């Protein structure tokens, strides 16, 4: 059984530095009194700001039972329960301690924990969180899978540099396997950075594919749309690319992800407004 330490969880905001240090040592003794597997589970849980029983069990099922987790979370003095969210979080000093323990783990083990956490969010279809944890765990293919499932919108909040860094790490086989995801990353870069840089990334992606790889109709259409967006604000230059993409999709009976149309609308809405007002 996992024991408890004290009957209340004291906020660190009301403690002096000396009191914080003493409480930190109390927390350290408490954690070290647990079994090695229980300690490892708590350290792994530190990757989350808040968590549910199911979430932690998914992360640590090979270390502790669900019953142990339920008992510990219901009794532990250094866990805070948010009734609105139905989730637990560590007392700040407890989190500091378990994070320090986490940072002492070998990089390979930390990456494995981050990847398992990312897969939890993937199963919950929370793709932005999945990508964030996949980035931390250097799980590049998992991040690509999340982009493909969640679309370019799932990248909102990530810097273009960080997104393109992922693209640059991929070898030609991985780029071909996840070409749709790569295109969505370039679309995100196109909408959030200089057009010249995004165009360079698009051309680099095309050139880096294996010589024997033949893109699908939807992948070709994606390239045409990206070229069309890059032609903004030249209406005459952009429309032929969009027409090619439309024809490809119609003939093959495929659809592009909705994200591409965000780029189209953002790029041409103002130009089309002026164009049709002029005709009228």
């Amino acid at each position: 059984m996992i024991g408890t330490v004290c009957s209340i969880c004291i906020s660190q905001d009301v403690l002096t530095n000396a009191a914080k240090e003493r409480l930190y040592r109390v927390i350290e003794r408490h954690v070290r009194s647990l079994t090695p597997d229980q300690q490892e589970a708590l350290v792994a849980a530190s990757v989350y700001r808040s968590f549910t029983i199911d979430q932690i069990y998914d992360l640590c099922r090979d270390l502790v039972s669900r019953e142990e987790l339920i008992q510990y979370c219901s009794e532990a003095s250094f866990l805070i329960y948010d009734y609105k969210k139905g989730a637990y979080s560590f007392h700040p000093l407890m989190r500091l301690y378990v994070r320090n323990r986490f940072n002492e783990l070998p990089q390979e083990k930390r990456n494995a924990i981050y990847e398992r956490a990312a897969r939890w969010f993937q199963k919950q279809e929370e793709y932005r969180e999945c990508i964030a944890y996949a980035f931390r765990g250097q799980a590049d293919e998992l991040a690509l899978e999340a982009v493909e499932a969640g679309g370019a919108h799932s990248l909102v909040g990530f810097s273009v540099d960080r997104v393109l860094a992922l693209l640059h790490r991929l070898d030609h086989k991985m780029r071909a396997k996840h070409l749709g995801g790569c295109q969505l990353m370039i679309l995100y870069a196109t909408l959030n950075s200089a057009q010249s840089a995004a165009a360079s990334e698009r051309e680099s992606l095309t050139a880096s594919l294996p010589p024997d790889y033949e893109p699908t109709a939807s992948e070709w259409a994606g390239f045409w749309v990206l070229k069309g967006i890059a032609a903004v604000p030249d209406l005459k230059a952009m429309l032929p690319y969009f027409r090619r993409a439309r024809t490809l999709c119609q003939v093959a009976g495929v659809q592009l992800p909705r994200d591409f149309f965000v780029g189209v609308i953002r790029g041409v809405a103002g130009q089309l407004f002026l164009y049709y007002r002029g005709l009228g």
Side-chain angles (χ1 to χ4, degrees), residues 60-241:
C60 307
R61 64 173 65 239
D62 53 339
L63 297 171
V64 292
S65 68
R66 185 186 295 274
E67 290 71 25
E68 283 181 283
L69 288 173
I70 292 172
Q71 181 177 351
Y72 182 74
C73 289
S74 65
E75 296 178 353
S77 301
F78 298 109
L79 288 181
I80 304 164
Y81 187 69
D82 186 322
Y83 286 90
K84 290 184 178 180
K85 296 180 179 179
Y88 294 91
S89 59
F90 288 112
H91 180 280
L93 287 176
M94 174 74 157
R95 187 169 195 277
L96 176 62
Y97 174 74
V98 291
R99 282 301 292 177
N100 286 342
R101 289 275 299 271
F102 178 81
N103 290 332
E104 293 171 359
L105 297 175
Q107 184 67 55
E108 183 178 348
K109 190 161 189 175
R110 280 181 283 161
N111 287 349
I113 294 171
Y114 278 129
E115 182 173 352
R116 184 175 289 190
R119 292 197 182 280
W120 162 266
F121 288 112
Q122 183 185 41
K123 288 185 290 188
Q124 308 309 308
E125 298 183 357
E126 297 181 34
Y127 297 114
R128 194 174 304 169
E129 289 292 329
C130 176
I131 293 168
Y133 279 89
F135 276 162
R136 293 169 192 162
Q138 301 176 26
D140 292 345
E141 186 166 18
L142 179 55
L144 280 168
E145 291 172 0
V147 172
E148 290 169 339
H153 183 70
S154 62
L155 292 168
V156 172
F158 296 100
S159 70
V160 171
D161 287 344
R162 192 173 188 186
V163 172
L164 292 181
L166 167 60
L167 185 63
H168 296 161
R169 288 197 299 270
L170 305 176
D171 61 28
H172 64 282
K173 291 183 179 179
M174 189 66 72
R175 290 184 176 208
K177 182 179 179 181
H178 294 281
L179 184 54
C182 293
Q183 289 178 322
L184 287 170
M185 289 193 291
I186 290 176
L187 173 63
Y188 181 75
T190 300
L191 298 176
N192 295 281
S193 64
Q195 292 283 14
S196 58
S200 174
E201 294 293 342
R202 185 191 66 244
E203 296 303 326
S204 175
L205 174 61
T206 307
S208 67
L209 294 174
D212 59 345
Y213 182 77
E214 181 59 35
T216 64
S218 61
E219 290 167 347
W220 273 123
F223 278 124
W224 291 128
V225 171
L226 288 172
K227 284 192 173 185
I229 295 171
V232 173
D234 189 337
L235 191 63
K236 290 183 179 179
M238 70 177 75
L239 285 179
Y241 294 123

